[in-house]
Structure formats: structure tokens, C-alpha cells
Amino acid sequence: MNPTVLRIEALTVRYGAVTACAELSLSIRQGEFAVLLGANGAGKTTTLRAVSGLVRPASGRIELDGGDITRATPARRTARGVGHVPEGRRILPEHTVEENLLLGAFARRRDRSGVRASLREMYDLFPRLGERRTQRAGTLSGGEAQALAVARALMSRPRLLMLDEPSLGLDPRRVAEMFEYLARLHREQGLTVLLVEQQARVALAYADRGWVLDRGTVALAGTAAELAADPRVRHAYLGAP
Ligand code: ATP
């Protein structure tokens, strides 16, 4: 069995009186494509933010490759291999496409030739970004901006790529393209992926396994096929009666 890349143990995160994650535990092995499902407010975004260090947990433990990162700074986590594509993409619209990509490689800035090679790799993967590399990121279409957000996270050479609702604002054709692309990275490069996605049907079609969160805790866990066949998932997330 592949080693565990991410382990979350009894994670509790509070925003004032609201408990967003309540003793949540899950772990992901190297090379897995995992998905977090759940209603609005179930704690999915907060889980990703806790892993990348953007919120401080009240209690619990987060490990990356067996090392404790619970109290590490966000920059340190990026350097250790946590890649995060946040909800809403957060690219810098006034900067060029290439500047946005270089920011993603900030932790590797001393490795100039490696960073150049990664840029070429991103332009091969996303030719539209190559064509637009000197253009301001604010001029990109929704699909291109999403590609840029993913490419920027990949520039840090993550061990774990976390994506928060990457389908948001994309038309169905672009959603399919984006999932195909992630599936390729996962298949060909063995990338470990943790995805938060409202579009459960497409997410379960690509993922190996997943969890359904409810009020900050794991309500259901299983392989993607098990979840897709579960009457509760079918009813709540796949539109079955
Ligand atoms: P969504 O799909 O709506 O993003 P989610 O499953 O990602 O939902 P979270 O965004 O993690 O859920 O939110 C979990 C809970 O924490 C919700 O009750 C939410 O209102 C609350 N919450 C999230 N962020 C904050 C914040 N910055 N301040 C206060 N409460 C917050």
C-alpha cells in the first residue's frame, strides 16, 4: 500500500461560536484522488484551509508525509508540498499570467532552471496560458483563469493538490475539460488530489474515494463507487428521489 500523504486527526476548527470542523479525521494515501462532499456549511472549505494553514485549529493534528504540520506557517506548508487552489481562484488580475505562475514557485525561487522547466511544462499542459503569458491575468476567460489557478498551485510541485470547487463558474464543457486534465495529472504523474466539489456526479466519476461531511464531521466514507451507489448520497447529491 502507498504511504499516507495527509492525515487529519480529530480536527476541530471554530469561528467564534460556530464549530466548522468537529473532531474530523481522514487520511489520504499517495496517488489517491479523493473528494469531499457535503452541503453548504458542512466544513469542506474549512478543512482545506486548516490543511494549508489559513485557519488555526482549536484542537487536533495534521500530518503531511508523517510530519506534524499543525502549527507550521502557510509558507512552510507550501514548501513541504501542500498546494491549494482556493475557492474563487484568487489569481492576481493586474499581474501577467507568467507573474502569477512565478508566484506559485516562490518557495523554489533559487532553483531558476527548475522553475523555467516548470513554466514550460505548464505552457505545454495549458497552451492557452502560454499564448497569453504576457497578458494581464484579469483579461482571461473563466476557464483560463481556473487553468491558471491550477497551474500556479502546480508550480510549487505539490505532494498534495487541494482544489476548492474548481468547477464554479465554468460551463459544462470546461468542467469536463478540467476534470480530464486533473485525471491525467493524477494518472500520469501520480499526483495526490483532494477535491471539494458541489458537482458530486462528475467528482465521483473521477475520484477513487471520498467522504461526505455533515456539520463538520465525517458522515459517510467509501470508495467513489460505494458513495455513488449509497441511497443517501444519491438522494442528497445526485438528484435521485
Ligand atoms: P460551502 O460549500 O458553503 O463553502 P463548506 O462545506 O465549505 O460550505 P465551510 O465554508 O467550511 O463549509 O463553513 C463551515 C461553517 O463555518 C459554516 O457554518 C460557515 O458559516 C462557518 N464559517 C466559515 N467561514 C467562516 C468565517 N470566516 N467566519 C465565521 N464563520 C465561518
Side-chain angles (χ1 to χ4, degrees):
M1 247 195 229
N2 285 348
T4 299
V5 170
L6 175 70
R7 183 190 305 281
I8 300 177
E9 263 175 33
L11 175 73
T12 297
V13 181
R14 296 196 186 93
Y15 301 105
V18 176
T19 300
C21 294
E23 306 242 326
L24 184 146
S25 298
L26 56 85
S27 58
I28 302 177
R29 289 183 183 280
Q30 191 182 322
E32 277 188 320
F33 191 141
V35 61
L36 276 181
L37 304 174
N40 284 341
K44 307 178 298 294
T45 294
T46 301
T47 303
L48 299 196
R49 290 172 60 83
V51 172
S52 53
L54 301 175
V55 290
R56 182 185 283 270
S59 58
R61 183 180 168 92
I62 302 170
E63 285 177 9
L64 188 77
D65 291 319
D68 186 358
I69 58 164
T70 318
R71 316 237 164 267
T73 61
R76 181 85 197 108
R77 297 183 204 212
T78 306
R80 286 184 68 160
V82 176
H84 188 177
V85 182
E87 213 171 355
R89 293 153 206 166
R90 309 267 163 81
I91 57 175
L92 300 176
E94 299 301 329
H95 288 75
T96 66
V97 166
E98 187 147 307
E99 285 164 351
N100 271 273
L101 290 175
L102 290 172
L103 270 177
F106 186 72
R108 300 169 55 206
R109 62 194 177 282
R110 285 191 189 82
D111 174 21
R112 286 187 172 213
S113 61
V115 170
R116 285 279 138 206
S118 292
L119 273 179
R120 281 195 298 275
E121 211 178 296
M122 292 307 132
Y123 295 147
D124 281 347
L125 287 166
F126 301 104
R128 304 278 288 179
L129 295 183
E131 289 162 21
R132 287 165 171 62
R133 65 176 180 273
T134 59
Q135 233 169 278
R136 284 193 313 116
T139 64
L140 298 180
S141 72
E144 290 161 358
Q146 185 61 62
L148 177 58
V150 172
R152 182 183 55 186
L154 290 172
M155 287 294 290
S156 68
R157 295 230 175 111
R159 296 266 305 136
L160 169 72
L161 180 65
M162 303 191 297
L163 304 114
D164 198 346
E165 305 253 6
S167 70
L168 214 66
L170 300 186
D171 63 51
R173 198 166 50 94
R174 298 277 174 224
V175 172
E177 255 175 45
M178 200 224 18
F179 272 94
E180 282 299 335
Y181 169 68
L182 285 178
R184 228 178 74 207
L185 277 174
H186 167 246
R187 210 172 41 236
E188 292 172 8
Q189 303 187 11
L191 185 69
T192 309
V193 180
L194 175 57
L195 174 72
V196 164
E197 185 53 64
Q198 289 286 338
Q199 299 199 28
R201 189 179 300 278
V202 62
L204 289 172
Y206 285 95
D208 300 316
R209 66 194 188 96
W211 302 268
V212 178
L213 300 193
D214 183 23
R215 281 161 291 176
T217 196
V218 174
L220 278 173
T223 64
E226 285 164 355
L227 290 178
D230 188 289
R232 290 163 290 184
V233 174
R234 292 171 59 77
H235 175 70
Y237 305 107
L238 301 177

